[in-house]
Amino acid sequence: MTARNFAAFPANRPRRMRRDDFSRRLMRESRLSADDLILPVFVLDGAGREEQVASMPGVSRRSIDGLLKLAEQAVALKIPALALFPVIDAAGKSLDAAEAWNPEGLVPRTIQALKANFPELGVITDVALDPYTSHGQDGLIDESGYVLNDETLAALEQQALCHAQAGADVVAPSDMMDGRVARIRSAFEAAGQIHTRILAYSAKYASSFYGPFRDAVGSAGNLGKGNKYSYQMDPANSDEAIREVALDISEGADMFMVKPGMPYLDIVRRVKHELQVPTFVYQVSGEYAMLKAAALNGWLDEKAVVLESLLAFKRAGADGVLTYFALDAARWLKDSA
Ligand code: PBG
């Protein structure tokens, strides 16, 4: 044999493991399953009502009867939980947001209907005042429009307790007030609600990707030119997200959310790797709208990009993903299993 110049060859050939399906499967580091998915849903008052959300093709607001049909599909596909968002009509909106803790309100009635029909399906409720305030802010405001922290805490406590007492499995404060997790946790302990979990939207950014959601729940018009910069986080920040999650750990939260999703994968990774907590991420309405619009135009392959985006959340470290694609994704995963 003549001596060969090995320097002329690649020293390593990573392509060997990528050559065949069997070896690609063996070295796959992250996996996505229906167990990772949470379906956000919009609920309306009344019966037999279903309205499409124009900026979110394929997503609609439904009255409780229609929502139960959606829940049935989620259960059949083994999706662990729903996240409930109410659409409140103008009569239910006020300056003090009192409808938010009405025990006969839309959210408590929806929780009761879901738990009565599908006891095994986790019900997550949003704790924030924006569906109930006439100005569309997540909290109570002063004369200048500034969102008042401590006054809002009292309202959030009543709202969270109302949801827990109606049977919510998880309450998810998405308001970004300081101290709300501690406040809700102590109210739960005092009321004997020791099993209700708290999913804290700890790292919730003041994002422009929430636009279609605000259309869906009808808060966009009320908010008008207002913004949420004085409580939601600045998109420029990363260390601050770690401090926010650390605070919510100390205040007694069980699960921690990063929101939005795809533009914030670095935050998902930092939270999971630096704090080792149950980490969730919200693929928000604007992300859904982007993917859906491109798919509807034939510019992207919907199934492929949606599953890739969800897998990317897992790779970054997420334990679960809230996504409007949850039902479709669970179906696709089942078909390819
Ligand atoms: C408000 C809330 C928002 C979303 C969930 N809860 C929007 C906001 O802060 O205005 C957005 C979710 C989405 O865009 O899908 N508490």
Side-chain angles (χ1 to χ4, degrees):
M1 277 243 286
T2 52
R4 285 179 292 160
N5 177 7
F6 283 101
F9 295 90
N12 291 296
R13 292 190 181 271
R15 290 186 56 193
R16 270 195 294 266
M17 285 299 285
R18 295 184 204 130
R19 181 167 180 269
D20 299 305
D21 185 58
F22 88 87
S23 52
R24 285 195 296 269
R25 274 158 51 213
L26 281 172
M27 70 174 285
R28 196 155 285 152
E29 297 173 34
S30 309
R31 275 170 219 281
L32 178 70
S33 84
D35 289 339
D36 301 314
L37 305 174
I38 296 171
L39 175 67
V41 293
F42 300 111
V43 63
L44 278 174
D45 231 323
R49 291 176 72 196
E50 178 172 353
E51 300 172 3
Q52 309 291 327
V53 180
S55 50
M56 301 177 75
V59 172
S60 44
R61 319 172 181 96
R62 299 156 198 259
S63 46
I64 293 175
D65 48 320
L67 187 65
L68 291 176
K69 298 203 181 85
L70 216 56
E72 189 176 359
Q73 293 176 42
V75 171
L77 289 162
K78 300 205 160 57
I79 290 174
L82 300 186
L84 202 58
F85 295 97
V87 182
I88 302 297
D89 57 27
K93 296 182 193 274
S94 61
L95 272 176
D96 65 4
E99 180 61 20
W101 52 92
N102 172 4
E104 266 101 58
L106 177 60
V107 168
R109 280 185 283 116
T110 308
I111 298 167
Q112 285 154 2
L114 285 167
K115 293 311 293 184
N117 287 276
F118 308 105
E120 70 277 40
L121 181 67
V123 174
I124 304 173
T125 60
D126 201 62
V127 175
L129 303 181
D130 53 313
Y132 306 97
T133 52
S134 35
H135 43 71
Q137 293 289 356
D138 290 16
L140 307 175
I141 57 172
D142 67 13
E143 317 72 54
S144 72
Y146 183 74
V147 174
L148 297 161
N149 197 83
D150 299 10
E151 289 78 354
T152 299
L153 291 185
L156 296 171
E157 173 183 333
Q158 295 188 78
Q159 183 184 27
L161 206 49
C162 166
H163 294 176
Q165 285 166 345
D169 299 293
V170 184
V171 298
S174 72
D175 54 282
M176 289 299 279
M177 295 302 114
D178 295 332
R180 86 268 212 227
V181 171
R183 186 73 178 244
I184 293 168
R185 181 57 81 204
S186 72
F188 282 1
E189 288 293 324
Q193 294 286 348
I194 62 166
H195 301 301
T196 313
R197 302 150 191 91
I198 299 177
L199 162 58
Y201 281 81
S202 306
K204 177 169 178 178
Y205 287 86
S207 171
S208 298
F209 286 97
Y210 305 148
F213 175 96
R214 292 178 189 169
D215 294 338
V217 298
S219 63
N222 299 75
L223 193 59
K225 290 200 191 319
N227 61 60
K228 303 190 178 183
Y229 301 150
S230 81
Y231 48 104
Q232 296 180 347
M233 281 181 49
D234 186 330
N237 297 350
S238 170
D239 290 343
E240 188 187 4
I242 302 302
R243 293 197 297 274
E244 281 282 7
V245 175
L247 280 172
D248 289 342
I249 295 171
S250 72
E251 292 182 26
D254 304 288
M255 306 153 81
F256 305 84
M257 181 87 83
V258 174
K259 174 182 177 183
M262 272 171 68
Y264 296 84
L265 286 181
D266 59 321
I267 308 299
V268 175
R269 177 156 188 89
R270 283 196 67 184
V271 167
K272 186 63 185 180
H273 288 259
E274 294 177 30
L275 299 168
Q276 289 101 30
V277 289
T279 303
F280 293 80
V281 60
Y282 200 148
Q283 184 175 49
V284 300
S285 57
E287 299 174 68
Y288 175 87
M290 290 196 298
L291 293 173
K292 201 74 184 180
L296 287 171
N297 274 294
W299 298 335
L300 288 174
D301 173 344
E302 182 173 12
K303 174 180 167 183
V305 289
V306 168
L307 291 177
E308 182 180 333
S309 70
L310 298 175
L311 184 64
F313 291 126
K314 292 294 303 285
R315 191 197 62 235
D319 293 293
V321 187
L322 276 89
T323 174
Y324 300 97
F325 290 112
L327 288 173
D328 283 333
R331 271 187 216 107
W332 292 325
L333 291 166
K334 196 174 160 209
D335 292 347
S336 62

